């Protein structure tokens, strides 16, 4: 079956993700994360790629990259190939390390650009690895704090300084809720949807002035409207809406 052609971004910004084959923890050790970062940096100038954000998790990574699409493909191909060679040698194994080819989505406006950076930096928090994104070593957020890009491009630092008055404002921005769904593994997308469904419930309880979110779930007319808003905001099927609702209900009232 032929591969689907990648969508071309009008801004040349792309959010990129790749995961280990069979959900393997290919970045399980600090040395593996550090070596992957080293490889990312090694080929940046050669391929004329600008990196604006990254995070290296245990099973996958996220990058926000500015590049022509053809250049991006060449850059990622050599980065993933070199890391796979390193990983197979270290673990005395053969075969594929990454699952299929990398995935990418277009970043078409500045609102999505900043929300995407926030999502990338908050990955370790959302995965319950740390409580504060500053506590995670393998992301680009500290490069923004010191205003010196070790891997991210100087243009990223310049844009950050134009947009935020200081790092405290930038860090506070990371705490805000958002309702976009970002490219990720299927499991992480499910968690994103779950988080947004919960945020919609809280928002509805505030809008209606009820005593607690539990009341929205317990009153049928409010519950039906809440479900409609889940389906409308997340653009999911009725079946998926019901599953998200049941999960939210379980969190709120325990059944």
């Amino acid at each position: 079956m032929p591969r689907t052609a990648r969508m071309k971004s009008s801004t040349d910004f792309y959010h990129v993700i790749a995961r280990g084959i069979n959900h393997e923890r290919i970045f399980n050790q600090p040395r593996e994360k550090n070596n992957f970062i080293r490889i990312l940096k090694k080929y940046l100038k050669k391929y004329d790629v600008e990196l604006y954000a990254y995070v290296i998790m245990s099973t996958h990574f996220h990058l926000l990259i500015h590049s022509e699409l053809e250049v991006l493909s060449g850059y990622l191909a050599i980065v993933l190939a070199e890391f796979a060679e390193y990983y197979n040698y270290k673990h005395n194994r053969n075969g594929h390390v990454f699952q299929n080819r990398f995935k990418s989505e277009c970043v078409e406006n500045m609102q999505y650009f900043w929300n995407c950076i926030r999502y990338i930096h908050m990955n370790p928090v959302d995965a319950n690895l740390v409580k504060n994104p500053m506590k995670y070593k393998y992301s680009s957020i500290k490069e923004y704090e010191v205003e010196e890009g070790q891997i991210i491009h100087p243009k990223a630092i310049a844009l950050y300084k134009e947009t935020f008055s200081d790092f405290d404002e930038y860090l506070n921005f990371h705490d805000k809720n958002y309702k976009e769904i970002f490219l990720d593994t299927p499991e992480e997308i499910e968690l994103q949807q779950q988080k947004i469904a919960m945020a919609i419930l809280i928002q509805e309880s505030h809008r209606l002035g009820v005593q607690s979110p539990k009341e929205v779930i317990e009153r049928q007319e409010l519950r039906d409207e809440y479900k409609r808003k889940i389906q409308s905001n997340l653009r999911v099927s009725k079946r998926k809406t019901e599953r998200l609702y049941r999960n939210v209900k379980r969190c709120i009232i325990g059944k």
Side-chain angles (χ1 to χ4, degrees):
M1 187 174 179
R3 290 182 173 181
T4 303
R6 294 192 187 278
M7 295 291 293
K8 187 181 187 314
S9 168
S10 63
T11 65
D12 285 336
F13 276 103
Y14 297 91
H15 175 204
V16 174
I17 176 177
R19 68 187 298 181
I21 194 167
N22 298 324
H23 302 251
E24 288 183 17
R25 299 170 67 88
I26 57 173
F27 304 112
N28 199 41
Q29 301 297 324
R31 70 182 184 187
E32 290 156 353
K33 294 183 180 73
N34 286 325
N35 196 53
F36 187 70
I37 291 172
R38 180 190 65 79
I39 297 170
L40 285 174
K41 183 178 181 180
K42 177 180 177 181
Y43 293 104
L44 283 174
K45 289 184 178 180
K46 179 178 179 180
Y47 282 85
D48 193 22
V49 165
E50 299 172 2
L51 186 59
Y52 280 69
Y54 68 87
V55 67
I56 316 301
M57 304 294 283
S58 295
T59 60
H60 65 285
F61 65 82
H62 292 267
L63 308 173
L64 181 57
I65 289 180
H66 183 264
S67 170
E68 294 181 4
L69 185 57
E70 297 79 8
V71 176
L72 173 67
S73 296
Y75 172 72
L76 265 297
I78 196 166
V79 166
L80 300 189
E82 185 163 322
F83 181 81
E85 182 179 0
Y86 158 84
Y87 185 83
N88 282 336
Y89 173 76
K90 285 292 184 181
H91 294 271
N92 194 27
R93 67 187 290 279
N94 294 299
H96 295 290
V97 172
F98 292 94
Q99 181 174 306
N100 302 321
R101 58 177 183 162
F102 69 90
K103 297 180 180 179
S104 63
E105 66 176 348
C106 302
V107 178
E108 299 288 6
N109 58 65
M110 290 309 297
Q111 179 180 354
Y112 197 77
F113 170 87
W114 287 115
N115 286 342
C116 188
I117 286 184
R118 172 172 55 191
Y119 179 72
I120 289 172
H121 288 159
M122 292 298 288
N123 242 240
V125 178
D126 293 337
N128 296 316
L129 298 178
V130 292
K131 292 185 178 180
N132 184 316
M134 293 296 294
K135 298 294 184 181
Y136 194 71
K137 296 180 179 180
Y138 309 103
S139 86
S140 51
I141 193 167
K142 290 187 177 180
E143 296 188 36
Y144 283 97
E145 180 190 28
V146 299
E147 298 183 1
E148 183 178 344
Q150 296 299 315
I151 302 178
I152 63 174
H153 199 273
K155 290 181 183 177
I157 302 297
L159 187 57
Y160 147 74
K161 293 173 73 174
E162 290 175 9
T163 307
F164 298 91
S165 60
D166 55 30
F167 185 72
D168 285 341
E169 183 184 357
Y170 183 63
L171 199 56
N172 288 337
F173 166 76
H174 282 70
D175 287 333
K176 293 182 179 179
N177 290 324
Y178 49 85
K179 290 186 178 179
E180 293 100 340
I181 297 296
F182 297 93
L183 179 68
D184 210 319
T185 63
E187 299 85 359
E188 291 295 330
I189 289 176
E190 181 86 16
L191 289 175
Q192 290 183 63
Q193 293 172 330
Q194 190 69 45
K195 186 175 180 179
I196 292 173
M198 181 64 78
I200 293 171
L201 177 64
I202 301 299
Q203 186 179 59
E204 278 296 281
S205 67
H206 291 164
R207 184 182 69 83
L208 296 166
V210 298
Q211 290 187 343
S212 73
K214 184 178 179 181
E215 190 172 342
V216 176
I217 290 174
E218 291 178 336
R219 292 171 54 182
Q220 183 173 347
E221 70 277 15
L222 302 184
R223 179 171 67 246
D224 290 344
E225 177 61 19
Y226 169 53
K227 289 181 182 180
R228 282 193 289 271
K229 290 199 171 182
I230 292 177
Q231 187 171 8
S232 174
N233 276 271
L234 293 176
R235 300 177 183 177
V236 294
S237 65
K238 288 185 177 180
R239 183 176 181 181
K240 183 61 175 290
T241 298
E242 283 296 328
R243 184 162 78 243
L244 291 169
Y245 164 73
R246 287 195 300 270
N247 289 338
V248 169
K249 178 182 176 184
R250 192 176 299 115
C251 292
I252 295 295
I253 63 179
K255 62 180 179 179

